[in-house]
Amino acid sequence: MRIKFLILGLIFSLFSLTAQRTSKSIDEESKVPKYNLPKLLKSDSGIKIQNQIEWELIRRPEILEHFASQIYGKIPRTLPSPEVRILEEATLAIEDKAIRKQIQLAFKNEADSICMNILIYTPNKKLMAPVFLGYNFAGNYLLHHDPFILIDGKKENEFNGDSSEKIKIKKRGKRTSMWAIEKIIQSGYGLVTLNYNDVDPDKNDFSDGIHSLLFNSNQIKAKDDQWGSISAWAWGMSRVMDYLETDTLINEKKVILFGHSRLGKTSLWAGALDQRFSIVISNNSGCGGAALSRRRFGEKLSDITKNWPHWFAKNFQKYSDNESSLPVDQHMLIALIAPRPVYVASASEDSWADPQGEFISARQASKVYELYGRNGIELYDYPKVNTPIHESIGYHLLDGKHDVTIYDWTQYIKFANMHLN
Ligand code: GCU
């Protein structure tokens, strides 16, 4: 009798636990307000877009213009080609499996200069390798224990040895878990990476980085429709691409753009602006990235424009708590990448980035892929964790938190194998 009660009790508590979880997720989703997305396939003046040509001639340019002037900001002009300096090269790196090359792109004008320090690994004995290209957050030397990775473009023996430099040396390889370098190389791909702060330091100050080089004389801040940092970082990705086109180690037709979080927002915008990237991946990019702004779930425009105003054009502030007046939403950013394969990845514990909003956004972009005869993900429901979808639009929901893991890299490599050949 006692056992019977115990079993009944157990069943009851299991049931209420499940019910709690389910009702929690229903509750959370019920926080999403009713919203109408702007139409992908209807122009601002009401023309119905029916094919690729109409998309490319009418709708794509107007959507691109909205993102440039209202969200990320226009890039004012360009600069003369940089000086390319080869800093270091070795044919036997990472247990002889890789070629390592470190280069510097130096951009200058009369007043100022910036240096982009780029680390390249490609599989050994291979020319024309397909590569993943992505910014890292704090320095190339954090990505791997390889002692020859330069720190801010310098060899260890070129340092004065002050304490901040010693700390940096100690931190070598501290971020290996976010970068599956060995796996990438073994799978026949290379990796090209640089610190995003080389292009524009991530702070609310436009007096440094690439912004200051591209302002007109006497200009100290961006106009309302001019570039914030995401546009500056996107500009940087295109300059790296210019270099990759000249390097025989790399197959410039197979450059896969990758970015996590704020850099996932950047990879989507860079991929929309520059059609030379053959695949675009955004990992946990959230608000201002893959997630729909109108869902107001997790991070809202009012949060992001308050906490990170320098990422966007000043115009973007107008839409804080006023999302319905935006002429676009983020599904349109994903659609700008069509017909090239695009991958949106979310994480189940990353509600700040609104995983479901990222999925719906990717699904909504399918209509444009279909104009090109490619399979989008229109017919898919929000998938369970760790159940990837690899159509021309890829999506997975990692079982875990806001991060880049070996699971994510495994999916990206599979996706690239499927779509690059
Ligand atoms: C913050 C920000 C996010 C961003 C993230 C990151 O959490 O609110 O929008 O994606 O930082 O880049 O790490």
Side-chain angles (χ1 to χ4, degrees):
M1 193 65 173
R2 242 189 160 159
I3 295 178
K4 213 168 159 189
F5 274 127
L6 265 176
I7 294 173
L8 275 174
L10 201 71
I11 293 174
F12 179 74
S13 44
L14 271 176
F15 176 76
S16 47
L17 251 179
T18 327
Q20 237 179 33
R21 266 205 209 124
T22 330
S23 65
K24 189 166 167 239
S25 57
I26 290 170
D27 272 6
E28 301 246 307
E29 204 41 36
S30 70
K31 285 185 199 151
V32 174
K34 288 218 156 29
Y35 62 89
N36 289 316
L37 289 178
K39 297 257 178 299
L40 254 175
L41 297 183
K42 197 178 228 183
S43 77
D44 290 348
S45 61
I47 303 169
K48 233 175 134 195
I49 305 298
Q50 285 166 320
N51 54 47
Q52 290 168 34
I53 297 179
E54 289 168 0
W55 165 253
E56 285 174 20
L57 291 182
I58 305 170
R59 191 59 174 145
R60 189 177 191 279
E62 63 187 15
I63 293 176
L64 198 62
E65 171 64 22
H66 290 315
F67 276 102
S69 66
Q70 303 302 305
I71 300 187
Y72 304 111
K74 296 183 178 181
I75 298 170
R77 62 195 163 95
T78 191
L79 276 175
S81 304
E83 187 188 328
V84 179
R85 302 174 184 146
I86 301 199
L87 302 180
E88 193 265 350
E89 259 179 312
T91 47
L92 296 175
I94 312 197
E95 293 171 0
D96 303 350
K97 295 198 185 86
I99 297 173
R100 182 187 58 240
K101 187 164 178 180
Q102 301 185 76
I103 63 146
Q104 190 172 65
L105 303 182
F107 291 89
K108 287 192 198 114
N109 69 5
E110 321 67 55
D112 217 340
S113 66
I114 64 158
C115 286
M116 290 160 53
N117 297 300
I118 303 170
L119 168 67
I120 302 174
Y121 284 119
T122 53
N124 211 349
K125 304 198 185 108
K126 186 166 177 175
L127 289 178
M128 303 285 285
V131 291
F132 287 92
L133 161 63
Y135 282 118
N136 61 71
F137 282 89
N140 302 339
Y141 67 100
L142 296 172
L143 271 55
H144 199 275
H145 290 102
D146 181 346
F148 296 100
I149 301 180
L150 304 173
I151 301 183
D152 304 333
K154 287 198 284 182
K155 294 188 186 131
E156 272 177 33
N157 62 10
E158 289 167 356
F159 281 166
N160 308 324
D162 77 22
S163 55
S164 65
E165 289 172 343
K166 281 189 191 142
I167 292 172
K168 281 191 171 173
I169 294 168
K170 274 200 176 153
K171 285 190 179 160
R172 267 193 192 287
K174 283 280 183 277
R175 300 245 175 133
T176 43
S177 67
M178 280 180 79
W179 297 89
I181 294 186
E182 269 87 0
K183 187 174 177 66
I184 292 174
I185 302 283
Q186 272 159 23
S187 311
Y189 291 83
L191 175 69
V192 180
T193 186
L194 70 156
N195 182 344
Y196 76 136
N197 292 290
D198 279 4
V199 177
D200 185 31
D202 191 356
K203 50 189 172 90
N204 193 5
D205 165 11
F206 285 175
S207 64
D208 53 10
I210 193 62
H211 280 105
S212 65
L213 260 79
L214 289 184
F215 281 152
N216 297 319
S217 48
N218 302 329
Q219 188 179 2
I220 48 164
K221 62 178 185 120
K223 294 186 190 149
D224 292 1
D225 67 347
Q226 278 185 335
W227 57 348
S229 295
I230 292 178
S231 274
W233 299 322
W235 175 92
M237 287 283 95
S238 291
R239 301 296 70 78
V240 178
M241 185 68 191
D242 297 341
Y243 167 76
L244 297 181
E245 287 184 324
T246 68
D247 192 324
T248 48
L249 285 178
I250 281 134
N251 184 343
E252 76 276 11
K253 300 269 182 276
K254 295 188 175 179
V255 176
I256 308 153
L257 193 56
F258 162 82
H260 170 60
S261 211
R262 69 199 68 181
L263 298 175
K265 309 181 205 298
T266 303
S267 66
L268 290 174
W269 180 226
L273 286 173
D274 190 335
Q275 304 203 33
R276 292 175 296 171
F277 299 113
S278 55
I279 296 185
V280 177
I281 301 172
S282 103
N283 194 84
N284 306 176
S285 59
C287 182
L292 292 173
S293 305
R294 281 169 173 76
R295 276 173 53 90
R296 296 175 54 83
F297 189 99
E299 186 173 25
K300 302 187 190 71
L301 298 195
S302 53
D303 301 307
I304 206 164
T305 53
K306 182 165 149 262
N307 298 329
W308 310 96
H310 62 288
W311 288 354
F312 302 95
K314 184 138 184 277
N315 275 341
F316 197 36
Q317 313 261 346
K318 293 189 294 206
Y319 303 101
S320 156
D321 293 328
N322 185 20
E323 288 82 356
S324 60
S325 67
L326 264 167
V328 286
D329 210 317
Q330 299 303 114
H331 61 305
M332 295 166 135
L333 177 64
I334 300 172
L336 290 176
I337 293 160
R340 292 161 296 152
V342 64
Y343 203 121
V344 172
S346 311
S348 59
E349 292 165 33
D350 187 18
S351 59
W352 186 239
D354 187 12
Q356 198 153 340
E358 295 182 311
F359 172 73
I360 298 171
S361 181
R363 186 171 62 193
Q364 286 285 336
S366 300
K367 293 186 185 69
V368 175
Y369 280 80
E370 282 153 19
L371 288 183
Y372 288 88
R374 304 281 160 97
N375 286 342
I377 56 172
E378 194 127 54
L379 301 177
Y380 288 83
D381 289 329
Y382 187 41
K384 295 202 169 62
V385 291
N386 296 356
T387 316
I389 304 170
H390 289 171
E391 303 290 353
S392 286
I393 299 178
Y395 180 84
H396 70 247
L397 178 65
L398 170 81
D399 186 8
K401 58 185 175 52
H402 185 77
D403 199 0
V404 195
T405 67
I406 193 75
Y407 178 85
D408 299 299
W409 281 109
T410 306
Q411 302 317 315
Y412 301 149
I413 291 167
K414 274 192 196 158
F415 187 72
N417 288 342
M418 276 178 73
H419 291 284
L420 273 186
N421 300 314

